Amino acid sequence: MTTTPPPLDTGTTSRDETPFMMGNLPSVFRARARWTGGAYTMMEQVIAPRLLVAPHTHAHDDHVSYIVSGRLGFRVGDQEYELGAGESIFRPRGIPHTLWNAADEPAVMLELTSPGRLEDYIETLRDLAESGASSLAAVIPVAARYGVTFDDAWVDELCERYNVSAGPSFWGASQ
């Protein structure tokens, strides 16, 4: 069975995108799935100082993160990396991963996700946060629909080793 990719939405720029908070991560889409026929989406995120993003696994999506400014630590499976501006990392589907900013200054990264359907998940998280209904309990079933699972097995050790705090990065800064 052959599927036809969605039509391309050409002539649109990221200037048309509105910044939003994905939990406590200031974010903005820089490329939309509808622009790429569903091949990928790209988002810019600011990672606050001393923040550990919740460790998670994607069943269906691959990520490439490019560091625009600052330095970020990454754990992908059992491997750890520290990357600075101009460097990138691949985080494949099915492999648990997390990232953190151990510095006292924010870091900025671009995250390319393929295929682009994860954009719907991110927009659902944004809508939950904007409605005030965002919580870990609300996010878990939404995440499951998109093949995303959370695992806190690394949290305590990484927080202690890198002097970071595990924030509710996907479900709201106030919890």
Side-chain angles (χ1 to χ4, degrees), residues 4 14 19 23-24 27 32-33 41 44 46 55 65 79 81-82 85 98 107 147 154 157 162 174:
T4 304
S14 64
N24 56 9
S27 305
R32 292 293 205 142
T41 189
E44 179 180 311
V46 178
S65 294
Q79 300 293 311
Y81 308 87
E82 184 178 333
T98 187
W154 304 331
E157 184 256 330
Y162 293 105
S174 63

Side-chain angles (χ1 to χ4, degrees), residues 12-89:
T12 307
T13 72
S14 64
R15 283 183 294 208
D16 301 321
E17 294 298 321
T18 303
F20 62 94
M21 293 297 291
M22 190 175 93
N24 56 9
L25 301 174
S27 305
V28 65
F29 286 107
R30 295 299 183 194
R32 292 293 205 142
R34 68 180 180 267
W35 304 357
T36 67
Y40 64 89
T41 189
M42 184 171 55
M43 193 167 54
E44 179 180 311
Q45 293 184 305
V46 178
I47 312 302
R50 303 284 164 201
L51 175 70
L52 173 75
V53 172
H56 59 283
T57 303
H58 298 268
H60 312 293
D61 308 283
D62 297 317
H63 296 293
V64 173
S65 294
Y66 174 82
I67 312 307
V68 175
S69 65
R71 295 193 72 72
L72 290 173
F74 290 85
R75 181 167 176 171
V76 182
D78 293 332
Q79 300 293 311
E80 287 187 17
Y81 308 87
E82 184 178 333
L83 303 174
E87 296 180 301
S88 57
I89 188 169

Side-chain angles (χ1 to χ4, degrees), residues 54-133:
H56 59 283
T57 303
H58 298 268
H60 312 293
D61 308 283
D62 297 317
H63 296 293
V64 173
S65 294
Y66 174 82
I67 312 307
V68 175
S69 65
R71 295 193 72 72
L72 290 173
F74 290 85
R75 181 167 176 171
V76 182
D78 293 332
Q79 300 293 311
E80 287 187 17
Y81 308 87
E82 184 178 333
L83 303 174
E87 296 180 301
S88 57
I89 188 169
F90 176 59
R91 294 177 288 147
R93 67 187 76 192
I95 307 294
H97 59 270
T98 187
L99 63 108
W100 59 89
N101 181 356
D104 293 323
E105 299 296 325
V108 178
M109 76 172 186
L110 290 174
E111 184 167 83
L112 183 80
T113 301
S114 176
R117 70 177 162 256
L118 199 66
E119 188 175 302
D120 295 336
Y121 168 62
I122 293 163
E123 288 179 330
T124 303
L125 295 182
R126 179 195 63 204
D127 293 346
L128 277 173
E130 289 176 357
S131 73

Side-chain angles (χ1 to χ4, degrees), residues 120-160:
D120 295 336
Y121 168 62
I122 293 163
E123 288 179 330
T124 303
L125 295 182
R126 179 195 63 204
D127 293 346
L128 277 173
E130 289 176 357
S131 73
S134 186
S135 67
L136 179 57
V139 167
I140 287 176
V142 171
R145 285 197 314 258
Y146 292 94
V148 178
T149 56
F150 297 97
D151 183 354
D152 63 359
W154 304 331
V155 170
D156 292 341
E157 184 256 330
L158 291 172
C159 285
E160 183 176 325

